[in-house]
Amino acid sequence: KAMIAWILLPSLATTQTSGATSSVVDRSLYVPSVVVITTFPGEYHRWKQRLPLGVDLPFPAGAGAVPLGWNASLNVLGVVTGMGPRNAALTITALGHDPRFDLTNSHWLLAGIAGVDPTVGSPGCGIWARTLVDGDTAKFIDPREAPAAWPTGWVPLGRSIPYGSPPPSRHEAQGIVHELSAELIGWAFNRTRSIKLADSPALVHFRGAYASSSPNAVKAPSVLLGAVLSTSAIWEGQLSVQWARNWTAYWTKGRDIFATSAMEDVGIAVALEGLER
């Protein structure tokens, strides 16, 4: 079952707008300090109402079909990317090339829902992402046709068995593993780790189902750290969770642990890296 998490995508790249002219800069350039990224209107609504993001800016090039939101006093821009990594990458790329915005020194905050590994956290927790891992770029063999000893049908590119040796090289990990700013993540975590998050009888009841198997899943919501596994598919189940743990450990060489599953994160990361180039 899906569980809520908040994910930070900070300073992964500083982006340069293209096609901006001095006349545009003088007249109407927006310079966001922070860009808040959400993937569908349900995630965006509270940011728009509570921050607020009171000024709507047309954004027909985006895949989210929602205007951008602007808060001039805080210099915060909000965007809805649309669901899925392709829509997310398209929208962020379009935003980076929009001549109305100077995003050179902006920080990017991806705030969305995600699935949480019950051995790490509980429903309602908030998780700051240290690492993004691509779960789509792989070979797949239906487990019913794979060798019986294989733990999964997912095989890394360049390998003939799941989690095959040698460990991924730095070159192989490029595009699969995206490490975020450790300094900024540490700052954000330390600022928020003591916050008492909302709890409810419904959440207590829901997480009670994990009492016998996952002690961390029955704890009250808290602020945590971990890695995000990004896939185009929405999946669930114990076997898939074990694959996610192993896949994350394999590609990060054990430097991070699988905490949440999501869809758009790697698409956004790739778009930001492209804009930086």
Side-chain angles (χ1 to χ4, degrees), residues 59-122:
F59 188 43
V66 175
L68 301 169
W70 176 245
N71 182 309
S73 61
L74 297 175
N75 289 329
V76 174
L77 181 70
V79 58
V80 180
T81 64
M83 293 182 64
R86 287 176 292 185
N87 284 335
L90 182 154
T91 298
I92 297 303
T93 300
L95 179 60
H97 288 280
D98 191 316
R100 293 175 294 175
F101 303 100
D102 178 0
L103 304 170
T104 306
N105 294 307
S106 300
H107 291 76
W108 300 75
L109 177 68
L110 172 56
I113 60 172
V116 176
D117 184 343
T119 66
V120 174
S122 64

Side-chain angles (χ1 to χ4, degrees), residues 42-275:
E43 292 175 344
Y44 178 66
H45 175 73
R46 289 190 177 184
W47 288 93
K48 181 173 178 60
Q49 296 299 319
R50 295 182 179 183
L51 193 59
L53 296 168
V55 178
D56 288 342
L57 303 174
F59 188 43
V66 175
L68 301 169
W70 176 245
N71 182 309
S73 61
L74 297 175
N75 289 329
V76 174
L77 181 70
V79 58
V80 180
T81 64
M83 293 182 64
R86 287 176 292 185
N87 284 335
L90 182 154
T91 298
I92 297 303
T93 300
L95 179 60
H97 288 280
D98 191 316
R100 293 175 294 175
F101 303 100
D102 178 0
L103 304 170
T104 306
N105 294 307
S106 300
H107 291 76
W108 300 75
L109 177 68
L110 172 56
I113 60 172
V116 176
D117 184 343
T119 66
V120 174
S122 64
C125 66
I127 296 181
W128 294 103
R130 294 177 294 212
T131 313
L132 313 179
V133 179
D134 182 358
D136 283 337
T137 304
K139 297 182 288 187
F140 179 74
I141 300 174
D142 191 309
R144 292 168 294 185
E145 300 176 324
W150 283 19
T152 180
W154 293 100
V155 179
L157 297 182
R159 303 293 185 272
S160 59
I161 60 173
Y163 321 120
S165 296
S169 66
R170 184 179 182 88
H171 174 74
E172 289 174 316
Q174 288 181 350
I176 303 291
V177 178
H178 305 263
E179 295 182 354
L180 306 185
S181 167
E183 180 181 1
L184 190 52
I185 291 292
W187 172 86
F189 177 66
N190 288 330
R191 291 280 300 229
T192 57
R193 63 189 305 176
S194 300
I195 293 176
K196 185 176 181 180
L197 301 181
D199 202 357
S200 69
L203 283 176
V204 172
H205 176 76
F206 179 82
R207 62 183 184 249
Y210 296 89
S212 62
S213 59
S214 302
N216 285 333
V218 299
K219 294 180 179 179
S222 60
V223 178
L224 305 168
L225 290 164
V228 175
L229 181 66
S230 179
T231 65
S232 298
I234 298 174
W235 50 267
E236 61 180 275
Q238 294 183 7
L239 294 177
S240 292
V241 171
Q242 190 57 55
W243 162 76
R245 295 169 186 151
N246 293 340
W247 191 261
T248 301
Y250 178 79
W251 281 104
T252 66
K253 299 182 180 179
R255 291 191 298 268
D256 212 342
I257 61 168
F258 167 69
T260 63
S261 60
M263 297 179 71
E264 296 81 11
D265 304 55
V266 165
I268 292 168
V270 169
L272 288 172
E273 290 169 350
L275 290 169

